[in-house]
């Protein structure tokens, strides 16, 4: 069993840390809102810390899942940051969806301090975190990844080292680019079917057995038809992620015309009051 810390107890981090505790690891948690940390301790019998530095002291692996690049810097750097408290040879595993740039920045800083940094964004949403069925895409060095991977398995159905620092974040960008186009295509198809007077259930039943099949169709077609959009990953978060994708595309020169368009469509959904709707709410824009 490992001595672990987990920083950030949002809708993803809270259950992920819980899976680590359930496996028998000694887990110290930190959250910006202490009430959430107290609730986690009450449920999982771990301990909480007042700062990331305190949480990271003498831990073998420090996990993190926060909001964005700035949040990540705030919990890692400075006198109260986790890096200042971590022992040499320990590992920092970051599950935040952030930029590849900040991953490389923190990897370089970690190496200066004699610790390892792995960027490890996840896919699978809140349900995946709660069910211990996330997909984890990692960037970093092989040796610390090999040490961390069996621990990550507590909440992952798949975990893979994609390359050096930043490769995990770049892979997550590919994931979000693909999802954006798939959801928009599904929204347009369902809306078209309804306008054509077809039975949506029958349409999905037949096309889901062919080349149009996707996870989004299997899991979101019925809820999209019902106009229900409370199934996890929020539009606000998707726009944050697509902003990272578009910024990276400007650096590497890969055009993302469909992604840029869908990002604008999500902006329309936000303006409709759908900031916290899940990403399948693109269909609501078509039905205005």
């Amino acid at each position: 069993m490992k001595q672990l810390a987990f920083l950030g107890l949002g809708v993803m981090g809270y259950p992920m840390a819980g899976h680590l505790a359930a496996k028998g690891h000694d887990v110290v948690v930190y959250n910006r809102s202490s009430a959430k940390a107290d609730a986690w301790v009450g449920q999982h019998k771990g301990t909480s810390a007042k700062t990331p530095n305190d949480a990271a002291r003498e831990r073998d692996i420090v996990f993190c899942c926060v909001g964005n690049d700035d949040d990540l810097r705030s919990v890692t750097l400075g006198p109260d940051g986790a890096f200042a408290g971590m022992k040499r040879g320990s590992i920092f595993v970051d599950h935040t969806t952030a930029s590849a740039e900040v991953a490389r920045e923190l990897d370089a800083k970690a190496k200066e301090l004699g610790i390892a940094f792995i960027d490890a964004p996840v896919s699978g949403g809140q349900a995946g975190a709660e069910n211990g069925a996330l997909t984890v895409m990692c960037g970093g060095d092989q040796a610390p990844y090999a040490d961390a991977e069996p621990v990550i398995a507590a909440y992952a159905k798949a975990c893979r080292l994609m390359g050096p620092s930043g490769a995990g974040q770049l892979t997550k960008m590919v994931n979000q680019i693909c999802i954006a186009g798939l959801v928009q295509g599904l929204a347009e198809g369902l809306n078209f079917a309804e306008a054509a007077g077809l039975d949506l259930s029958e349409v999905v039943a037949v096309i889901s057995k062919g080349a149009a099949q996707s996870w989004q169709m299997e899991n979101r077609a019925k809820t999209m038809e019902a106009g229900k959009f409370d199934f996890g990953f929020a539009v606000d978060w998707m726009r944050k992620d697509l902003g990272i994708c578009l910024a990276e595309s400007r650096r590497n020169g890969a055009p993302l015309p469909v992604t840029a368009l869908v990002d604008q469509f999500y902006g329309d959904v936000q303006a409709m009051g759908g900031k916290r709707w899940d990403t399948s709410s693109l269909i609501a824009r078509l039905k205005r």
Side-chain angles (χ1 to χ4, degrees):
M1 295 297 103
K2 298 285 189 179
Q3 303 292 307
L4 308 177
F6 206 106
L7 315 178
L9 299 175
V11 296
M12 301 293 288
Y14 193 105
M16 292 163 76
H19 286 298
L20 295 172
K23 290 293 184 180
H25 300 294
D26 180 3
V27 183
V28 177
V29 297
Y30 164 80
N31 194 67
R32 187 163 49 189
S33 166
S34 60
K36 184 69 72 69
D38 292 341
W40 188 93
V41 170
Q43 182 176 351
H44 297 287
K45 313 305 179 187
T47 56
S48 64
K50 292 184 178 180
T51 69
N53 183 319
D54 293 336
R57 290 183 183 278
E58 298 305 313
R59 301 284 100 180
D60 300 313
I61 306 175
V62 179
F63 294 90
C64 176
C65 191
V66 292
N68 54 39
D69 287 19
D70 290 340
D71 293 333
L72 182 55
R73 291 187 179 99
S74 73
V75 298
T76 54
L77 305 177
D80 287 334
F83 283 8
M86 292 175 69
K87 62 184 181 182
R88 293 183 67 85
S90 59
I91 305 167
F92 191 97
V93 177
D94 175 40
H95 291 306
T96 308
T97 296
S99 68
E101 185 177 20
V102 76
R104 297 183 189 111
E105 171 192 329
L106 294 178
D107 177 67
K109 181 62 176 178
K111 283 183 167 64
E112 292 175 7
L113 299 171
I115 58 182
F117 180 91
I118 298 172
D119 54 291
V122 301
S123 180
Q126 183 176 349
E130 292 172 349
N131 295 326
L134 293 169
T135 297
V136 188
M137 45 218 87
C138 300
D141 296 331
Q142 176 64 47
Y145 170 79
D147 287 341
E149 193 276 333
V151 185
I152 293 171
Y155 45 78
K157 66 177 181 180
C159 185
R160 185 182 293 266
L161 182 64
M162 306 305 300
S165 179
Q169 296 295 353
L170 291 169
T171 304
K172 179 61 183 289
M173 293 176 209
V174 175
N175 187 79
Q176 302 305 78
I177 290 165
C178 293
I179 288 174
L182 283 169
V183 176
Q184 177 62 20
L186 179 59
E188 291 184 14
L190 294 177
N191 190 60
F192 178 92
E194 185 174 36
L198 297 172
D199 184 315
L200 289 187
S201 296
E202 290 297 311
V203 170
V204 171
V206 68
I207 70 172
S208 65
K209 302 301 186 292
Q213 189 277 336
S214 69
W215 185 97
Q216 298 293 337
M217 181 177 291
E218 292 289 341
N219 291 274
R220 292 291 173 263
K222 290 183 179 179
T223 58
M224 291 168 78
E225 179 184 355
K228 297 179 179 179
F229 308 120
D230 55 351
F231 296 92
F233 199 69
V235 168
D236 277 354
W237 302 339
M238 187 59 158
R239 287 214 79 192
K240 184 265 290 187
D241 290 1
L242 295 182
I244 293 170
C245 298
L246 293 167
E248 185 65 32
S249 77
R250 290 190 288 271
R251 282 190 285 270
N252 68 20
L256 297 177
V258 173
T259 304
L261 190 60
V262 176
D263 179 58
Q264 294 177 32
F265 293 163
Y266 277 125
D268 294 340
V269 174
Q270 288 176 318
M272 293 168 58
K275 294 181 179 182
R276 305 301 296 180
W277 295 347
D278 72 61
T279 52
S280 69
S281 58
L282 283 173
I283 196 168
R285 175 185 169 275
L286 299 175
K287 292 180 176 295
R288 287 181 299 180

